[in-house]
Amino acid sequence: MADPSEHLLALKVMRLTRPTLISPQIITAEAKDLPQNTFEHILKSSATTVQDSETLAAGQFMQLPQSFGNIYLGETFSSYVCVHNCRTHPVNNVSVKADLQSNNTRINLPIHADKQGPVVLHPDETLDDVIHHEVKEIGTHILVCEVSYMTPAGLESSFRKFFKFQVVKPLDVKTKFYNAETDEVYLEAQIQNITVGPICLEKVELESSEQYTVVSLNNLPSGESVFSQRTMLQPMNSCQFLYCIKPLPAILNDPMALKAANNIGKLDIVWRSNLGERGRLQTSQLQRSPIEYGDLRLTVIEANSTVKIGEGFDFKCRVTNTSERSMDLVMNLNTNAKVGCGYTGQTEISLGPLEPGKYKEFNLTVCPVRLGLITITNLQLTDVFMKRKYEFDDFVQVFVVDEDYKEDDFQLDKYVRYSIPQSV
C-alpha cells in the first residue's frame, strides 16, 4: 500500500464535539520582581484575555477541541469523514469504509448508507458523511478509515488512516444492598461525577429483573423529588439514590426460588454535560446478597399495630420448611418464659407433617395486660421426627392503648413495626 500523499484522493477526518469552557489564568508581578514583565507578555498573548484589560477576568470562553481527545463511556462518538478529489481528472469506483476497533471488538460503522455502490468523483468534488456510535467499552479505541478507488490505469488502489482515542469512565457507581427481614431488598446507589466538568443527571432508574418489582424512595409523599429539579454534580461530587425491591408473590411463596433469585436489575443513568452533551450508562446485572435460611422460617402475615387493653390480640403466622427433609411440627406459645411478661395466653397446636419448601398458616391469640409496646416472644416449634426444638423470640410487636383510645386522634400505624420474620 502506497503512501497516502501519493494517492489521487485526500481523506480528512474530524471529530465532532462541543467546545469546552475555559477561564483566564491571571498571574501578575511587579516590575521589580524577578519575573518582571514575563507574566504580562504571557497574558497579552493569551486568547482568553481582553485587550488593555489583561488583569481582569472577563468570564469564561468557549474553546474548540485542539485534538481528537478523549470520550466518556456512554457518550456518542461522532466524526466527520470527507474524501476529496484533488486531481484534474475523475476518479472511479470510490468507496469509504469506517471501522471502530477496541480491545475486544471491531465494529463496522454505517457510512454513505444512501449510496448504492462505488461512486465517481470529479475534480474538486467531495464524498462526505457523519458517523455516530455510542461507545460501550472502556479503553483504547481506534477509528480505521479505508478509501478504495480505481486508478486511470484500471488498477484497484486503497489507503487507510488511523485515529486513536481513549474512552474513560464518567461516573463511579457504588451500590449497597440491605436484606430486610420482610424479604424486601433496599438498594443504595451512590453516583460520583469523575469527569473534569459539571454534569446534570437527567434520569437515574432501576430496571428490575423479572422476579422483582421496584419502588423508588427518592420522592416525597406529594410526588416531588427529594432532589432539586435538576440534579447537578460538580467534579468529584456524589449523591445517593434509594430503592426498595420486592419479590413477586410467586417467588415470595417459594423459599427455594427466592433463595435462587439473586439478580435484582440494572441501573440506567442518563446525564448531560455543561454544554448539553448527552451520555447514557447502564450497569451490569446487580445481585443481592445470598439469603441464608435455617431449617424453619416464621413469618407474621396478619397483625394489627394497636390493640386496646383487655381485648384479645389476634395475629396470623406462617411457618415454612426451608430444610431438605420432612418434619412433623408441634407449636407451643408459652407466656411464663419471662418475668414481667406483658401478655397472657398459652397455646399448643399440632401442625402435622410439613414437606420441604411447603408452609402452613395458623392463628394465635394473646391478651395484653399492660399499656405500651409489648413484644410477643418465646414461640417453640418442635420436630417430632428429630426431637428437635426451634425457638423464635421477639417475632411480633403491638402497641397496647387504653380503652378510651380513638384512632382518629392518635395514629401509630406508620411508626409501629409488627411483622418480623425469623429463621432458625
Side-chain angles (χ1 to χ4, degrees):
M1 187 176 295
D3 182 29
S5 61
E6 301 176 359
H7 285 279
L8 305 179
L9 303 174
L11 173 64
K12 300 295 182 181
V13 178
M14 179 176 63
R15 180 187 166 193
L16 302 180
T17 183
R18 299 178 188 271
T20 57
L21 295 176
I22 61 172
S23 301
Q25 301 293 329
I26 307 299
I27 303 177
T28 60
E30 296 184 4
K32 62 181 180 180
D33 291 339
L34 184 62
Q36 294 183 350
N37 297 327
T38 303
F39 290 148
E40 183 179 352
H41 292 310
I42 295 175
L43 288 176
K44 288 183 177 181
S45 61
S46 175
T48 61
T49 55
V50 180
Q51 186 176 5
D52 298 329
S53 301
E54 290 81 4
T55 58
L56 298 178
Q60 291 184 315
F61 294 81
M62 288 190 295
Q63 182 183 32
L64 295 176
Q66 304 299 309
S67 63
F68 219 71
N70 298 334
I71 188 171
Y72 291 109
L73 181 69
E75 290 185 340
T76 299
F77 169 75
S78 301
S79 184
Y80 174 73
V81 181
C82 175
V83 178
H84 178 69
N85 182 5
C86 50
R87 303 298 178 178
T88 58
H89 55 80
V91 180
N92 298 321
N93 293 347
V94 179
S95 62
V96 183
K97 185 174 71 171
D99 293 336
L100 187 60
Q101 181 177 342
S102 64
N103 295 331
N104 301 318
T105 59
R106 185 183 181 99
I107 302 173
N108 179 257
L109 303 180
I111 186 171
H112 300 134
D114 56 335
K115 306 295 182 182
Q116 299 297 326
V119 300
V120 178
L121 281 185
H122 295 281
D124 289 332
E125 282 190 346
T126 59
L127 179 64
D128 57 357
D129 200 359
V130 178
I131 54 178
H132 304 279
H133 178 71
E134 182 180 344
V135 289
K136 301 179 180 180
E137 185 179 346
I138 295 176
T140 303
H141 286 59
I142 302 176
L143 178 63
V144 183
C145 296
E146 181 178 3
V147 179
S148 302
Y149 63 95
M150 184 172 292
T151 64
L155 300 177
E156 293 184 356
S157 182
S158 63
F159 64 93
R160 294 179 179 177
K161 279 191 176 183
F162 302 88
F163 304 90
K164 182 185 294 187
F165 61 94
Q166 295 289 332
V167 177
V168 295
K169 284 178 56 177
L171 304 172
D172 186 20
V173 181
K174 297 179 181 179
T175 58
K176 293 181 181 179
F177 285 99
Y178 304 91
N179 288 330
E181 295 178 345
T182 54
D183 291 324
E184 297 174 345
V185 181
Y186 291 89
L187 169 65
E188 178 190 350
Q190 176 179 292
I191 301 176
Q192 184 181 27
N193 175 17
I194 55 176
T195 68
V196 295
I199 63 172
C200 173
L201 294 178
E202 284 194 346
K203 183 182 76 170
V204 179
E205 292 183 357
L206 178 61
E207 299 177 355
S208 64
S209 62
E210 297 178 353
Q211 294 101 343
Y212 293 90
T213 59
V214 175
V215 177
S216 176
L217 303 180
N218 305 304
N219 297 321
L220 300 174
S222 61
E224 184 182 357
S225 174
V226 297
F227 303 102
S228 59
Q229 187 175 3
R230 298 187 180 276
T231 307
M232 295 294 299
L233 284 182
Q234 296 296 328
M236 304 311 295
N237 284 4
S238 61
C239 62
Q240 286 79 22
F241 296 84
L242 187 62
Y243 301 91
C244 177
I245 303 104
K246 300 180 180 180
L248 296 177
I251 303 294
L252 186 61
N253 296 329
D254 189 346
M256 300 304 175
L258 182 60
K259 188 174 182 179
N262 292 327
N263 290 337
I264 296 295
K266 300 179 180 180
L267 276 173
D268 190 19
I269 307 170
V270 178
W271 77 93
R272 289 188 182 273
S273 66
N274 56 351
L275 289 177
E277 193 81 17
R278 185 179 184 272
R280 181 172 181 264
L281 183 65
Q282 191 174 59
T283 65
S284 57
Q285 190 70 239
L286 302 176
Q287 292 190 337
R288 67 181 292 177
S289 304
I291 302 176
E292 297 295 336
Y293 292 135
D295 293 342
L296 290 176
R297 186 164 185 253
L298 179 68
T299 309
V300 178
I301 57 176
E302 291 182 11
N304 294 325
S305 59
T306 59
V307 65
K308 293 184 178 181
I309 191 167
E311 297 181 357
F313 170 51
D314 302 322
F315 56 96
K316 190 175 184 178
C317 299
R318 174 184 295 169
V319 59
T320 306
N321 184 358
T322 54
S323 69
E324 298 180 354
R325 57 182 175 83
S326 300
M327 296 185 181
D328 188 4
L329 297 177
V330 175
M331 189 280 303
N332 180 272
L333 180 62
N334 188 1
T335 61
N336 300 323
K338 292 184 178 180
V339 179
C341 184
Y343 58 93
T344 61
Q346 187 168 353
T347 306
E348 185 170 339
I349 304 174
S350 176
L351 301 178
L354 188 60
E355 298 298 324
K358 304 297 182 180
Y359 64 86
K360 285 191 175 182
E361 298 176 354
F362 54 92
N363 297 312
L364 291 175
T365 302
V366 296
C367 185
V369 295
R370 62 175 174 83
L371 299 176
L373 184 67
I374 65 172
T375 302
I376 313 301
T377 185
N378 196 39
L379 185 144
Q380 292 183 352
L381 290 170
T382 303
D383 181 11
V384 178
F385 291 153
M386 301 294 293
K387 306 298 182 183
R388 183 175 177 181
K389 292 184 178 181
Y390 302 90
E391 294 187 359
F392 298 88
D393 293 327
D394 303 337
F395 61 92
V396 64
Q397 294 177 329
V398 63
F399 192 76
V400 183
V401 297
D402 207 349
E403 296 177 353
D404 57 354
Y405 160 77
K406 294 181 180 180
E407 186 175 359
D408 295 339
D409 300 333
F410 197 73
Q411 297 180 359
L412 277 181
D413 284 356
K414 60 182 179 180
Y415 301 114
V416 178
R417 183 181 183 186
Y418 60 86
S419 180
I420 307 176
Q422 296 187 19
S423 301
V424 293

